[in-house]
Amino acid sequence: MINSLKRTPLFGAHQRLGARLEPFHGWAVPARFRSPEEEARTARESVAVGDWSWAPKFDLKGPGLKTPPQFEEQAICWPLGVRHYLVTCEPAAQEPLLERIREMEGADSPSPIYCTVVTSVYADLRLVGPRSRDVLSKLSSLEVSEGGLPNYRCGQAAVAEVQAIILRQDLGRQELGRQDLGVMPAFHVLVSRDYAESVWRAVLEAGEEFGIGLFGFEACSLLEV
Amino acid sequence: MSITSQSGTIFFNGKPVRAQAGDTVASALYRAGQRIFSRSFKYHRPRGLLCAAGRCPNCLMNVAGIPSVRVCTLPAREGMVVRSQNAWPSLERDWLAMAEAVDFLMPVGWYYKRFTSHAAWRRVRPFIRRVAGLGDAPAPGDGSERRYEHAHLNTEVAVIGGGPAGLQAALESAARGEEVTLIDDQPALGGHLRYSRSGAAASSPLIAQLQAYPGVRLLTGSSCFGLYEGNLLGIVQPRPYGDVAERLIHLRAQRVVVATGAYETPLLFHNNDLVGVMLSTAAQRLIRLHGIKPGERAVVVGWDERAAGVAVDLVEAGVDVVEVIEPEALTAAAGRGRVEGVDARGRWIGCDLIVTCGQRVPDAGLLAQAGARMEWSAERGAFVPVELPPWASAAGEALGELLPRRQAAGAAAAHPSERAERAERAKRAFVCLCEDVSSRDLVDAVEEGFDSIETLKRYTTATMGPCQGRMCQLNAIGVCAGATGRGVAETGVTTSRPPTPPVSLGALAGARRHPVRRTPMHEDHEALGAIWMDMGDWKRPRYYRGHYRESASGGERECVESEYRAVRERAGLIDVSTLGKLEVRGRDAARLLDKVYTHRFSDLRPGRVRYAVICDESGIILDDGTISRLAEDRFFITTTTGNLDFVEQWLTWWMVGTDWDAHITNVTAGLATVNLAGPEARGILRLLTDCLLDSQDFPYMSCRQADVAGVPALLLRIGFVGETGWEIHFPAEHGSDLWQELLKVGRDFGLRPFGVEAQRLLRLEKRHVIVGVDTDALSSPLEADMPWVVKFDKEDFIGKAALSRAASQTPRERLAGFVVAGEAVPAIPEDGAAVVIDGRPAGRVTSARYSPLRQSVVGLAWAPAEKAVEGAEIQILVDGRLCTARVMQRAFYDPEGARLRQ
């Protein structure tokens, strides 16, 4: 029987980059590539990319979605089309959220909702830092400026020649020493899982100009403080 | 590293050349004494620095393997390798200059006149292709590969041009709090202020003020080559960072301000292209920007105050200004290859430099592209833009408003265009320096009937070279106007189209990025010695060399046959994660599938699987796959690897306008898929699942959801390769683990991984069709020998009408299986090999392989319907000879399907 951890599509790439992979909600996830402090610093000063493919994602469709669904659990609904939403949440909130969605689901309802778990359908590359927009602008024609894609808005466009969903979800106000760096722009780039390595490489190449770094979940906890 | 703060060395034609801080390649070469910079396109006449502003074609060189780079605006970089081009054997002594001696053979339009027969053209084409053109395109592998990239930016206001007008416009917008992007093609802002008297002092405060605004983005050294619909600007930025050669920026602006200024055009006189003839702004650039003395003895030609100004500049730089003469007085320049003097109405003046103050012309190409009308202004001696589109505005000299008026220059002075109207028919008075088109060429062309400026342009190629008309358009219009007697205003301008200036193909193409799709087991295949094949963006193992890795004899055929035997005799495992996978849910899901697919699915019971074909309205097969019913309102569809996106869109399309409760989700990437097949498949799978696998519990064409090795999976009992087998779909994050587990458990049963090539052989023996390989854009299911997939008793489905008609007629051709008979060493027909009936091609082979089972070549072919019957003989053209084949309409292997149902 298989008892091993789930692998993100970038598992091999992380191994080659020497990441320290640790269990995280059943997944083998990079905890760090170098010291978390250094990773966080690169993100604050320029841009860093992390693999967030393990983050739960649900695809919701159906006539019951005339308005965005409301969840008590910590979840974000991103509109993808008419009565069509992508729902993301923290791993800890996945089970209660799924339970809640299952209650809403079903053909018996006069306005049913249909949910498909798409966590593994999409690779999620998380770009964090003041230069994250510059990296994205080299890979996509989607306008990701402050006004073009405000926080908690999403867009759909090709990124590195691959169809993608781009979610803007900023991190909090950042400080470097005593310097207030303001709110840090951050984006999730969701691409079909099988394109993950191609897009990952393209992001690293595009970010070379800005000294892009890698970050694991340990650095993220520093950035989200 | 750019040479900005200290001196460095560049290499020109293999020789080191010192470059000082701030030097361009051209200024470094000029300082080192280089005067010939290029050879002309047609006659290979020597050419020297003319505009020094990146507009004319005179300084095109090969830089680091890239041809036709304008070196007058290219900052010198340490170690830069620069070569002259379009000259043989050297720039100084170019034997191809002999072309000038036989110029009588090359009149205007000589290609059209000389090469009227294909044979004549074919004879001279190799020679012409060798000597013509500007430089050699880099070839793959020659070490000159460069990186390119694209970027997409947005701004509120885009200001094109960093001269005084552009700086002012940008400042005003920035002061209003607008986000401004300022683009300038020169290495630094300031425009003509950079090299005019006291100009630098005037521009510095403006630049500093602008840089202080946070919302200002400066793109210097960047050329805006096009202004497109929706305020999209195309901008090329050379060497943005690192080893990236060029970046193409797509800039979208809410408002555009064109402040591109004006540029100076050459004067038209005999030998106006000699080395040593230079525009006044070029001389000022050399003096002020680079501290270079342009020559020793100069004649300045001009009729306005600019002539006096540049004369003073030259004197201050140490040049002996022999005389300032009016353009009317200049008859010809003279010298062998370079200027030695001028003929001023019969008077000889010795000099090595002729500085011309040509007409200043608004640089309004972008405005014209944006839709502005160009109108002749006799007062200013230039075409000026009028009727600008509402979203674009212009400022400064680009509008022509600041150009010197006729009164200022004196009533007697004539504008160059007017002089061009009166120009002599001189073979060496060059209008178009890029293409070596002289005033006589243009007049000859007009006399031949090309008297419209647009046809004249196309016939003579004047204005069509690298300068895109910026050096020659006004003179060409003037000569045309003179030759036709119509006047300049009536003659009009040629159409301005992007790109101006030219853009490299590499910049347009962008990054060399080809997305690759990998299955979750990609690295496992790699470890097993997979030989890869590309299927669209996917990488798939064609076969595995794993078992033969140590053996030299392990060629493709041995590997494939070994994999084939494993499947037929024991068990095989193939990664089919590339199959498209869609989930269709909703109360009307079955209704949708009944509508789109030819088979019926509303009566499919949950837990059952059915083969499915999609046709278009003409009854042509578009795709096939399987449909499994998982619940009353839930179906699982597989599609062919390449048609996933199409099928998803096709299903969505046919729901438009309905209120059907049906919802499609693409789950392809989320599921890894393997096919475990062979006589031992059940035994292997039984060790990993509690699911009952016997045929009575889990019959052929049914599906179950069960755990396999602890991983939740969907199992389909289907058999593409003709053996007992299961297609197992499971979460992609477990792809590698379950693949390895299956191989581990199957080892004792002789399980082998197999690739696409073995799969194709196995399915061919079973006579299973691959859509797109065995079918084409004319194939219907009836002709493809699959009438059973079409349910005519359904209410309606796409293609029903066309297929009903086809069913009532005898088909012209049908897909037939064949076995090549009686060949000792059978040759395998290639895909597309002709089927020959009575000596005439009558069909084509779609697939053929050597079948170890039948020990003969088997295949599928389209053949006339009367020949596509059991036992008929057809002939197939293989390697130039005809082979006889016997038609077999049943499967070559297990025709009763007993193995599948076992």
Side-chain angles (χ1 to χ4, degrees), chain A residues 4 114-115 120 137 195 209, chain B residues 152 247 537 585 661 733 737:
Chain A
S4 55
Y114 302 100
C115 170
S120 293
S137 74
Y195 281 118
E209 180 181 0
Chain B
H152 304 264
R247 174 190 284 164
D537 288 348
R585 300 183 66 183
D661 178 30
E733 60 266 27
D737 289 330

Side-chain angles (χ1 to χ4, degrees), chain B residues 240-258:
Chain B
Y241 72 98
D243 62 345
V244 175
E246 280 177 305
R247 174 190 284 164
L248 194 150
I249 299 171
H250 308 245
L251 177 68
R252 237 174 236 288
Q254 290 170 24
R255 199 156 57 80
V256 176
V257 180
V258 177

Side-chain angles (χ1 to χ4, degrees), chain A residues 1-2 4 7 16 61 105 107 109 114-116 120-121 137-138 140-141 143 161 192 194-195 198 209, chain B residues 149-152 154 241 247 516-518 523 537 583 585-587 661 663-665 669 709 733 736-737:
Chain A
M1 290 300 115
I2 294 167
S4 55
R7 295 180 181 188
R16 289 193 292 277
K61 291 187 179 96
E105 223 181 358
S109 157
Y114 302 100
C115 170
T116 308
S120 293
V121 172
S137 74
K138 288 172 73 172
S140 176
S141 60
E143 187 180 351
E161 276 67 65
S192 180
D194 30 68
Y195 281 118
S198 260
E209 180 181 0
Chain B
E149 62 176 40
H150 284 198
H152 304 264
N154 296 273
Y241 72 98
R247 174 190 284 164
V516 173
R517 304 179 83 167
R518 295 159 171 245
E523 288 175 11
D537 288 348
E583 194 178 69
R585 300 183 66 183
R587 284 183 290 235
D661 178 30
H663 309 277
I664 304 149
T665 307
E733 60 266 27
S736 176
D737 289 330

Side-chain angles (χ1 to χ4, degrees), chain A residues 33 47-51 125-128 200 203-204 212-216:
Chain A
F33 293 85
V47 57
V49 61
D51 175 14
L125 277 53
R126 194 174 192 191
L127 269 167
V128 173
W200 173 261
V203 166
L204 292 180
I212 194 168
L214 306 169
F215 74 104

Side-chain angles (χ1 to χ4, degrees), chain B residues 193-194 196-207:
Chain B
L193 297 179
R194 291 171 65 219
S196 62
R197 267 174 188 280
S198 69
S203 64
S204 298
L206 292 176
I207 296 167

Side-chain angles (χ1 to χ4, degrees), chain A residues 1-2 4-8 11-13 15-16 27 59 61-63 102 105-118 120-122 134 137-145 160-162 192-198 201-202 205-206 208-210, chain B residues 147-155 179 240-243 247 511-520 523-524 537-538 583 585-587 633 661-671 687-689 708-711 731-734 736-741:
Chain A
M1 290 300 115
I2 294 167
S4 55
L5 296 167
K6 297 175 192 172
R7 295 180 181 188
T8 76
F11 181 85
Q15 281 187 320
R16 289 193 292 277
W27 292 79
D59 181 275
K61 291 187 179 96
R102 296 289 182 224
E105 223 181 358
D108 298 337
S109 157
S111 296
I113 290 172
Y114 302 100
C115 170
T116 308
V117 180
V118 290
S120 293
V121 172
Y122 296 109
D134 297 306
S137 74
K138 288 172 73 172
L139 299 169
S140 176
S141 60
L142 185 75
E143 187 180 351
V144 289
S145 63
E161 276 67 65
V162 173
S192 180
R193 178 188 167 106
D194 30 68
Y195 281 118
E197 195 149 333
S198 260
R201 283 184 192 177
E205 190 183 290
E208 189 187 312
E209 180 181 0
F210 313 107
Chain B
R147 276 176 66 193
Y148 297 90
E149 62 176 40
H150 284 198
H152 304 264
L153 303 176
N154 296 273
T155 190
E179 191 186 36
Y241 72 98
D243 62 345
R247 174 190 284 164
R512 259 185 224 186
R513 200 180 287 134
H514 181 78
V516 173
R517 304 179 83 167
R518 295 159 171 245
T519 75
E523 288 175 11
D524 298 293
D537 288 348
W538 287 102
E583 194 178 69
R585 300 183 66 183
R587 284 183 290 235
D633 65 343
D661 178 30
H663 309 277
I664 304 149
T665 307
N666 180 353
V667 292
T668 303
L671 294 173
L687 296 177
L688 295 169
T689 181
V708 177
V711 174
E733 60 266 27
H734 291 298
S736 176
D737 289 330
L738 187 50
W739 170 267
Q740 288 177 25
E741 187 71 10

